Amino acid sequence: MTTATTPPAVASTAAAIAQPAATSGAAPAGTRLLGIYLRLTCVPILWGGTFIAGRVISAHLPPATAGFVRFVFATLALLVALHFTQGLRAITQVTRGQLLGTLALGATGIFIYNLLFFTALSVLPAGRTSLIIALNPVVTLLLAAALLGDRLSAARWLGVGLALLGVWVVVTRGDLSQIMQSLGKGELSMFGAVCAWAVYTLLGRKLLQSLSPLLATLWAAIWGTLLLGLLALRDIASMHAGSFTPEVWAGLVFLGVLGTAVAFVWYYEGLRQLGAARTVVFNNLVPVFGVLLGWLILGEPLSASLLAGGGLAIFGVFLVNRVKA
């Protein structure tokens, strides 16, 4: 594939986000760090916005079709980002084992995650969904402890407990005794998406030791797009052109280009320049912006249980991310 087939808007966006990494040596250290922090602040805004876009899209498109079109845009944008950073030839510099590894990443973090993500947003408010997905680092830690033997400090266990309690408050709307009655299709789908992303994260831990994050994500996106496309074939008979409204197209472009490719490049730029300890703290802001944007754009209510439970969950995740094992 050549860049001639890539939409100009996508190419210019990828060039803009790739340029700081290429020219950072010429910029003063203070200016460079300020730029990195500003971009990292934008990342949770973009990721919070994915719940708004997903909520709009899921009202018009089936999950497989929505995920497929999203990752067509994401794959194009990632290809352009690869062109400006490592060169397109890098896409062929993977071993058979790495290809199998990225297939596993695409099946879990792209295919399964997006099916469950759009299914949840078809029935749940965006803000409520974004608070459930705040459990990602908690579930990842618990799986790592159970399957890989990772040990957790007492402070991290406290964070896990607070995060779980906070989401419990959100899901039950403050009535903690109603957990079973409160678990519907949306909540269970979002918990499934959290588990799929946790598996994706743990699989990527080993793979990223030998493959760049951009290349690993690109190949995962390619595999995930193929799998979503195959499943989306069953939706063709029931689809009609009217489903693709201007709002849906805008949401799909946002999800694919900004919410996936741009946010990914900025986030990993932060990891490379600042390290994981300072970068992952910005993840705590994702549910905050998810709730705020749901309120501002979609008019979703801010209930006391949502704010209280959300605050507990975010503080718990903060402890999980900040405290060393």
Side-chain angles (χ1 to χ4, degrees):
M1 176 175 177
T2 63
T3 55
T5 61
T6 306
V10 176
S12 61
T13 301
I17 61 179
Q19 187 178 6
T23 61
S24 59
T31 303
R32 186 168 69 248
L33 283 176
L34 178 60
I36 292 171
Y37 277 113
L38 286 175
R39 287 189 288 276
L40 280 177
T41 303
C42 289
V43 167
I45 298 176
L46 294 175
W47 282 341
T50 62
F51 295 93
I52 312 305
R55 177 69 170 162
V56 172
I57 294 166
S58 62
H60 297 82
L61 300 179
T65 300
F68 171 69
V69 180
R70 170 188 183 176
F71 273 90
V72 167
F73 285 117
T75 301
L76 289 174
L78 288 167
L79 279 168
V80 178
L82 183 69
H83 167 72
F84 283 103
T85 54
Q86 301 176 42
L88 285 178
R89 289 186 179 180
I91 197 173
T92 63
Q93 297 171 359
V94 292
T95 65
R96 182 176 299 179
Q98 288 170 336
L99 279 177
L100 290 175
T102 57
L103 173 58
L105 293 181
T108 54
I110 309 299
F111 177 64
I112 296 175
Y113 175 85
N114 276 271
L115 288 178
L116 295 174
F117 172 80
F118 284 110
T119 298
L121 283 169
S122 67
V123 293
L124 287 182
R128 183 175 167 87
T129 309
S130 70
L131 286 171
I132 295 174
I133 211 166
L135 288 177
N136 268 332
V138 171
V139 174
T140 303
L141 274 179
L142 291 176
L143 282 180
L147 302 178
L148 304 178
D150 288 5
R151 301 183 66 179
L152 303 182
S153 65
R156 270 191 163 171
W157 277 116
L158 174 62
V160 167
L162 289 175
L164 291 172
L165 176 60
V167 172
W168 189 358
V169 171
V170 171
V171 168
T172 61
R173 293 178 173 85
D175 187 353
L176 300 184
S177 65
Q178 299 297 310
I179 184 63
M180 296 309 298
Q181 295 88 337
S182 301
L183 288 177
K185 175 183 177 181
E187 288 82 5
L188 292 174
S189 295
M190 207 62 246
F191 284 133
V194 168
C195 293
W197 191 260
V199 173
Y200 171 89
T201 301
L202 294 178
L203 289 173
R205 177 191 292 187
K206 183 175 182 180
L207 189 62
L208 291 177
Q209 295 174 2
S210 59
L211 201 61
S212 74
L214 176 56
L215 198 54
T217 302
L218 172 57
W219 269 109
I222 292 171
W223 290 120
T225 303
L226 289 173
L227 293 171
L228 287 165
L230 289 173
L231 191 60
L233 290 174
R234 67 178 187 177
D235 298 331
I236 292 177
S238 60
M239 293 294 299
H240 53 88
S243 299
F244 289 90
T245 65
E247 292 80 8
V248 168
W249 279 118
L252 289 167
V253 173
F254 173 85
L255 282 173
V257 179
L258 297 178
T260 303
V262 172
F264 158 81
V265 174
W266 284 354
Y267 185 74
Y268 278 103
E269 181 187 357
L271 285 176
R272 186 172 62 249
Q273 299 290 339
L274 304 178
R278 283 190 286 175
T279 302
V280 297
V281 174
F282 288 87
N283 290 345
N284 301 324
L285 297 175
V286 174
V288 174
F289 285 115
V291 171
L292 287 177
L293 291 173
W295 174 60
L296 289 171
I297 298 175
L298 301 180
E300 296 178 353
L302 296 177
S303 65
S305 62
L306 183 74
L307 294 175
L312 267 179
I314 292 166
F315 181 66
V317 172
F318 176 80
L319 286 180
V320 166
N321 283 336
R322 284 293 292 172
V323 180
K324 294 183 179 180

